[in-house]
C-alpha cells in the first residue's frame, strides 16, 4: 500500500488479532462490514481499515488461524471425531463417553486389553491450558498408538505387553471451549472462558490470594469450574494408581509437591523418582524431580497435588513437553551443568527443584510447577503476541510436531510400564 494508506507490521497484526476474535467460525478473515464495525468500536483505526479495504486485504491478508497456519494440528471437533473413529476400530477394548457439567462437555476415552486384569490404572489429563495445543496432540497420537495405528519409539515397551497389566483413561482435551478460541488464532489464551486457570482450581492448598503470576486466577472457590468438577468426578470413579497431567512452555518432569517446599512428598517418593530418572534418560534430558517453590511464591491448587494427596495415588506426575528451539538447547545445557555440579546428589537426597542450586535455571526457564522469586516476573510478562505464544508452547514446524508427539507418547507408555512394574513388586502402594 502506498502513501498514507501504508500499514505497519504492528497494525497488520492488530487487525489480525481482531479477526481471530470476531470473524465467523470457519472463516479466515473479517468481512468489510466487520472491519467497519471494528472502527466504530475502536478495535482498529480508520486508516488501517481503509488500507485493507483499498487493497482487498480484508479477504487476502488478514490472519488465518491454526488450521491454515499449522494444518497438521487438529481442531477440537477433529480431536473428538478422531477419538470416536479410533475407539470404533481399536485393536483393544476401547470406549468413549462424554461427561457434562453445567453445559460444559468433556470426552474421556478408556483403553484396555480384552483379556487384561490391570494392576495399574493410568489416568492422563491433556490440555488443562488451552494455549498448550501440543498436549492434546500428543494424547491423540498416544491413543493412535494404543489402538495400533501409530508406531512408537523402538526402545519403548510394546503396547500389547503394557496393556496386559495397564488400563488407560485419557482426557484428550481438558479445556475445549478455550481451545476453540486458541484455534482461531488467539494463541495466548491459557484459562477457561471464565478466566480461571484450571490447574489452580483444585482443592489442594487452594488459595484465592497471593498468587504470583498475572495470568493465574484460581477462581472464586475450589472446583468452582465445570471442567475441574468433571475431572474430579472422573478420577474419583476411575481411582488411578498412576496420574499424569501434560503441559508445555518448557521441558521438565515433576512429582509432588507443587505448592511448597516445606512439605516434601514422602509417600512413594523414591519409586516416583526412579520412574522419572528412567524416563529422563530416554525422552527428556531435562529437569526432573519434586516440584516446589521458594517461600512466598506458591503453586497451589494443582491437579498433581490433589490427586496425590486426596486419591492416595501412588504415582502422580506432571510433564512439560515442549519449549521453543531458541530456549531448548540452553535449557538442556544448563540442566546438565546443574546435575554434574552436585544436583544429582541433591535430588536423590530428597531436595526439590526450587532448591537454591537450581534457582537460576528456573529464573531463566520458567515452569508452571517450579516457581522462584525471579522467574515469577518473567512468566507474568511472557510475550502476549500470538505468534510468540504459539512458538513458546507449541512446535511450529511439522517435523518438530511429529518428533514431539512420538517422543512423548512413547514416554507415556514407558511411564505406565515402569510404574506398573513397581506396583507389582510392592502391592502395598495401592490404597485400599
Amino acid at each position: 500500500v502506498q502513501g498514507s494508506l501504508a500499514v505497519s507490521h504492528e497494525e497488520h497484526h492488530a487487525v489480525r488479532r481482531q479477526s481471530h476474535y470476531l470473524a465467523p467460525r470457519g472463516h479466515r478473515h473479517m468481512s468489510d462490514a466487520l472491519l467497519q464495525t471494528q472502527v466504530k468500536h475502536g478495535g482498529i483505526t480508520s486508516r488501517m481499515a481503509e488500507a485493507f479495504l483499498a487493497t482487498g486485504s480484508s479477504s487476502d491478508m488478514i490472519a488465518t488461524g491454526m488450521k491454515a497456519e499449522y494444518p497438521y494440528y487438529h481442531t477440537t471437533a477433529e480431536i473428538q471425531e478422531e477419538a470416536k473413529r479410533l475407539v470404533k476400530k481399536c485393536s483393544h477394548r476401547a470406549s468413549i463417553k462424554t461427561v457434562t457439567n453445567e453445559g460444559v462437555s468433556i470426552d474421556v476415552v478408556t483403553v484396555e486389553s480384552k483379556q487384561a486384569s490391570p494392576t495399574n490404572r493410568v489416568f492422563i489429563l491433556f490440555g488443562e491450558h488451552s494455549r498448550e495445543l501440543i498436549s492434546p496432540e500428543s494424547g491423540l497420537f498416544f491413543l493412535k498408538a494404543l489402538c495400533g495405528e501409530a508406531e512408537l519409539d523402538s526402545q519403548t515397551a510394546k503396547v500389547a505387553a503394557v496393556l496386559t497389566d495397564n488400563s488407560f483413561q485419557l482426557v484428550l482435551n481438558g479445556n475445549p471451549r478455550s481451545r476453540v478460541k486458541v484455534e482461531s488464532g488467539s494463541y495466548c489464551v491459557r484459562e477457561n472462558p471464565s478466566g480461571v486457570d484450571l490447574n489452580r482450581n483444585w482443592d489442594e492448598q487452594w488459595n484465592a490470594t497471593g498468587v504470583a503470576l498475572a495470568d493465574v486466577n484460581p477462581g472464586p472457590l475450589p472446583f468452582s469450574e465445570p471442567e475441574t468438577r468433571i475431572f474430579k468426578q472422573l478420577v474419583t470413579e476411575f481411582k488411578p494408581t498412576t496420574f499424569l497431567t501434560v503441559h508445555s512452555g518448557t521441558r521438565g518432569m515433576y512429582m509432588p509437591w507443587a505448592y511448597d517446599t516445606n512439605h516434601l512428598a514422602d509417600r512413594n517418593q523414591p519409586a516416583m523418582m526412579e520412574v522419572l530418572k528412567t524416563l529422563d534418560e530416554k525422552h527428556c534430558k531435562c529437569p526432573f524431580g519434586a516440584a516446589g517453590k521458594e517461600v512466598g511464591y506458591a503453586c497451589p491448587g494443582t491437579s498433581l497435588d490433589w490427586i496425590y494427596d486426596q486419591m492416595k495415588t501412588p504415582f502422580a506426575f506432571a510433564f512439560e513437553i515442549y519449549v521453543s528451539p531458541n530456549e531448548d538447547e540452553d535449557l538442556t545445557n544448563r540442566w546438565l551443568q546443574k546435575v554434574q555440579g552436585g544436583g544429582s546428589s541433591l535430588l536423590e537426597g530428597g531436595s526439590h527443584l526450587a532448591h537454591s542450586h537450581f534457582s537460576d535455571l528456573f529464573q531463566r526457564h520458567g515452569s508452571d510447577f517450579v516457581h522462584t522469586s525471579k522467574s515469577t516476573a518473567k512468566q507474568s510478562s511472557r510475550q502476549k503476541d500470538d505468534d510468540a505464544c504459539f512458538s513458546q508452547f507449541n512446535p511450529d514446524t511439522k517435523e518438530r510436531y511429529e518428533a514431539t508427539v512420538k517422543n512423548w507418547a512413547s514416554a507415556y507408555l514407558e511411564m505406565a510400564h515402569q510404574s506398573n512394574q513397581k506396583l507389582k513388586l510392592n502391592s502395598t502402594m495401592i490404597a485400599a
Side-chain angles (χ1 to χ4, degrees):
V1 183
Q2 301 296 320
S4 63
L5 290 182
V7 178
S8 71
H9 177 78
E10 290 76 16
E11 288 174 319
H12 172 79
H13 278 282
V15 183
R16 177 183 179 197
R17 285 191 290 273
Q18 294 298 325
S19 75
H20 286 150
Y21 277 99
L22 298 172
R25 187 176 178 182
H27 289 252
R28 293 177 52 186
H29 57 83
M30 287 191 289
S31 66
D32 294 353
L34 190 52
L35 274 171
Q36 297 298 348
T37 299
Q38 283 298 289
V39 173
K40 179 179 178 182
H41 292 284
I44 59 176
T45 66
S46 298
R47 193 179 70 83
M48 290 161 65
E50 289 171 4
F52 277 98
L53 291 171
T55 60
S57 298
S58 60
S59 60
D60 297 333
M61 290 177 60
I62 293 178
T64 52
M66 183 192 76
K67 284 303 287 186
E69 294 180 276
Y70 309 101
Y72 39 92
Y73 281 80
H74 297 79
T75 66
T76 291
E78 288 170 339
I79 291 172
Q80 184 179 57
E81 290 307 308
E82 184 68 355
K84 289 178 179 178
R85 183 190 70 80
L86 287 165
V87 162
K88 189 177 295 186
K89 296 188 175 183
C90 193
S91 53
H92 303 282
R93 182 185 295 130
S95 62
I96 185 170
K97 69 175 180 179
T98 302
V99 181
T100 301
N101 187 292
E102 291 189 0
V104 176
S105 296
I106 290 177
D107 296 330
V108 58
V109 178
T110 304
V111 181
E112 58 188 7
S113 171
K114 295 173 182 177
Q115 292 82 31
S117 298
T119 308
N120 194 20
R121 299 181 299 277
V122 182
F123 190 100
I124 310 183
L125 174 56
F126 300 95
E128 278 184 294
H129 294 151
S130 49
R131 66 187 176 187
E132 298 163 10
L133 297 165
I134 193 61
S135 169
E137 299 291 333
S138 70
L140 187 59
F141 189 86
F142 183 53
L143 178 58
K144 290 180 180 179
L146 291 177
C147 289
E149 289 199 10
E151 293 292 326
L152 297 179
D153 191 310
S154 60
Q155 297 180 346
T156 302
K158 300 301 181 185
V159 168
V162 172
L163 280 170
T164 302
D165 295 313
N166 294 267
S167 62
F168 293 89
Q169 194 160 96
L170 313 175
V171 171
L172 296 175
N173 189 6
N175 194 353
R177 295 181 297 163
S178 285
R179 183 180 169 105
V180 169
K181 189 171 184 178
V182 174
E183 290 162 6
S184 75
S186 298
Y187 296 133
C188 294
V189 176
R190 166 188 171 106
E191 306 89 347
N192 76 351
S194 299
V196 175
D197 184 337
L198 300 180
N199 196 38
R200 297 294 185 275
N201 190 236
W202 296 69
D203 193 11
E204 186 66 32
Q205 300 296 317
W206 182 90
N207 189 352
T209 61
V211 176
L213 304 187
D215 56 354
V216 174
N217 172 15
L221 293 168
F223 293 119
S224 61
E225 305 310 297
E227 294 92 344
T228 51
R229 289 197 295 272
I230 290 172
F231 303 154
K232 179 183 178 182
Q233 175 187 336
L234 291 173
V235 295
T236 301
E237 293 172 353
F238 189 63
K239 296 180 173 61
T241 50
T242 299
F243 171 82
L244 171 65
T245 179
V246 179
H247 295 262
S248 64
T250 188
R251 287 190 304 109
M253 300 185 296
Y254 317 109
M255 57 193 225
W257 300 104
Y259 72 84
D260 77 1
T261 60
N262 297 321
H263 304 84
L264 293 176
D266 52 6
R267 177 171 49 81
N268 206 34
Q269 194 264 1
M272 286 192 287
M273 192 68 177
E274 288 173 8
V275 172
L276 292 183
K277 186 174 182 179
T278 299
L279 294 175
D280 181 67
E281 292 171 357
K282 293 183 179 181
H283 300 286
C284 200
K285 292 182 171 56
C286 64
F288 68 92
K293 61 136 188 130
E294 290 184 340
V295 176
Y297 295 89
C299 185
T302 66
S303 55
L304 172 70
D305 287 350
W306 190 91
I307 298 289
Y308 175 78
D309 191 25
Q310 301 298 323
M311 298 294 299
K312 307 303 179 189
T313 300
F315 295 91
F317 302 119
F319 292 174
E320 291 178 306
I321 67 171
Y322 184 81
V323 69
S324 61
N326 24 328
E327 290 193 33
D328 192 71
E329 184 177 357
D330 182 67
L331 172 66
T332 300
N333 291 338
R334 285 175 178 268
W335 172 247
L336 291 175
Q337 290 172 10
K338 292 296 181 184
V339 170
Q340 294 165 2
S344 180
S345 58
L346 283 171
L347 293 172
E348 290 172 3
S351 291
H352 50 82
L353 288 168
H355 186 280
S356 58
H357 179 78
F358 304 106
S359 61
D360 64 323
L361 184 148
F362 288 102
Q363 288 165 12
R364 188 175 181 88
H365 301 281
S367 164
D368 197 47
F369 294 88
V370 184
H371 290 173
T372 69
S373 56
K374 292 183 180 178
S375 68
T376 303
K378 177 186 175 184
Q379 280 189 294
S380 63
S381 62
R382 269 182 178 168
Q383 306 103 316
K384 297 303 180 183
D385 174 80
D386 287 325
D387 293 329
C389 275
F390 189 97
S391 297
Q392 174 74 25
F393 294 95
N394 305 289
D396 55 6
T397 70
K398 187 176 182 181
E399 181 181 13
R400 291 187 194 123
Y401 170 95
E402 291 176 345
T404 301
V405 297
K406 183 174 183 178
N407 175 68
W408 286 100
S410 300
Y412 307 151
L413 192 73
E414 186 68 21
M415 174 198 69
H417 174 66
Q418 292 292 328
S419 57
N420 176 66
Q421 293 297 104
K422 296 185 184 304
L423 288 169
K424 290 169 75 174
L425 289 172
N426 186 2
S427 60
T428 61
M429 291 181 184
I430 303 175

